[in-house]
C-alpha cells in the first residue's frame, strides 16, 4: 500500500513540474536589452540598449505583414529592403535621416535570452544600419530596441523568430 501511495505522490509531483514549466522561459524585450548591455560592456563600449514602445510598434507591424511582403525586395538604393518594411521603419524621403535603423530577425526557438542577444549583436548590429549611407554623423551611444515574435518558413519548416528593430539618434561629427 505504501508503494502505491508513493507512486501516486511521485506521479503528481512530476505532473506539477511539467505544468509549472509552461511559459516560465518567456524571453522579454528587457531581458534581451539587458543581455546586450552586458555584451556591450564586455566589449568595452559605452553603448546602452533600452526597450522603447516606438521600436516595439515597428517590430510588431513588420511581424504582422504577410511573409511574402517581408521577402519582396525592390532595388531602390536602400539595401534592397521590401517597400512595406521601409515604410514601417520610417525610411522614406521625409525622415530617413533622423536616426540610424537596424532591422532583422533572429531565431527564437530554444536558444533563450543570451542566444537571441548574441545573434542580434553578431548578425544585425555588426552590420551597417540600413540607412547608414544617408546619414552624416555617428550613432548615439543610447540605442532603442523593439522586438516582436513571429513565425517564418525556413527550409520548409515553420520556425519562431524574433523581429528586431534598433534605432539610434544621429550625433553630428
Amino acid at each position: 500500500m505504501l508503494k502505491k501511495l508513493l507512486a501516486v505522490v511521485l506521479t503528481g509531483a512530476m505532473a506539477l513540474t511539467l505544468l509549472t514549466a509552461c511559459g516560465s522561459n518567456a524571453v522579454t524585450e528587457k531581458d534581451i536589452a539587458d543581455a546586450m548591455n552586458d555584451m556591450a560592456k564586455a566589449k568595452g563600449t559605452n553603448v546602452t540598449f533600452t526597450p522603447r514602445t516606438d521600436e516595439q510598434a515597428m517590430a510588431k507591424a513588420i511581424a504582422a505583414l504577410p511573409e511574402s511582403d517581408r521577402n519582396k525586395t525592390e532595388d531602390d538604393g536602400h539595401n534592397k529592403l521590401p517597400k512595406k518594411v521601409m515604410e514601417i521603419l520610417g525610411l522614406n524621403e521625409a525622415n530617413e535621416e533622423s536616426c540610424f535603423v537596424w532591422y532583422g530577425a533572429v531565431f527564437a526557438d530554444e536558444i533563450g535570452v543570451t542566444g537571441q542577444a548574441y545573434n542580434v549583436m553578431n548578425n544585425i548590429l555588426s552590420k551597417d544600419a540600413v540607412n547608414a549611407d544617408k546619414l552624416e554623423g555617428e550613432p548615439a551611444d543610447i540605442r532603442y530596441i523593439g522586438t516582436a515574435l513571429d513565425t517564418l518558413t525556413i527550409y520548409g519548416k515553420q520556425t519562431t523568430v524574433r523581429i528586431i528593430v534598433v534605432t539610434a539618434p544621429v550625433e553630428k561629427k
Side-chain angles (χ1 to χ4, degrees), residues 144-156:
Y144 300 104
I145 182 173
T147 74
L149 286 177
D150 193 19
T151 56
L152 293 176
T153 305
I154 301 174
Y155 302 119

Side-chain angles (χ1 to χ4, degrees), residues 1-163:
M1 183 70 169
L2 182 60
K3 287 183 181 180
K4 287 182 182 179
L5 180 61
L6 185 59
V8 169
V9 170
L10 287 175
T11 304
M14 287 176 22
L16 283 176
T17 60
L18 288 175
L19 293 175
T20 58
C22 294
S24 66
N25 279 341
V27 175
T28 68
E29 217 163 68
K30 182 179 178 339
D31 295 335
I32 292 175
D34 289 345
M36 290 168 58
N37 286 330
D38 291 342
M39 289 176 192
K41 190 183 295 184
K43 287 183 177 182
T45 65
N46 291 326
V47 174
T48 302
F49 295 93
T50 303
R52 192 164 75 168
T53 56
D54 291 348
E55 286 72 13
Q56 184 183 51
M58 287 186 254
K60 284 182 177 182
I62 292 169
L65 289 174
E67 194 170 339
S68 60
D69 287 343
R70 282 182 268 152
N71 295 332
K72 195 183 311 177
T73 59
E74 300 167 20
D75 189 2
D76 59 0
H78 288 87
N79 295 333
K80 299 182 180 182
L81 278 179
K83 187 173 185 169
K84 290 187 179 188
V85 172
M86 288 180 49
E87 289 171 2
I88 292 168
L89 294 174
L91 297 176
N92 55 29
E93 300 303 322
N95 63 357
E96 66 184 359
E97 299 177 10
S98 61
C99 66
F100 287 85
V101 178
W102 291 267
Y103 154 74
V106 297
F107 289 103
D109 281 340
E110 302 174 11
I111 63 171
V113 174
T114 305
Q116 290 179 49
Y118 178 83
N119 282 324
V120 171
M121 295 291 274
N122 289 313
N123 298 329
I124 297 172
L125 297 175
S126 64
K127 300 173 184 166
D128 286 336
V130 295
N131 61 335
D133 60 329
K134 303 284 184 194
L135 302 171
E136 291 186 26
E138 298 293 323
D141 285 342
I142 188 154
R143 312 279 166 90
Y144 300 104
I145 182 173
T147 74
L149 286 177
D150 193 19
T151 56
L152 293 176
T153 305
I154 301 174
Y155 302 119
K157 180 183 172 199
Q158 287 293 102
T159 306
T160 304
V161 295
R162 185 172 296 276
I163 305 293

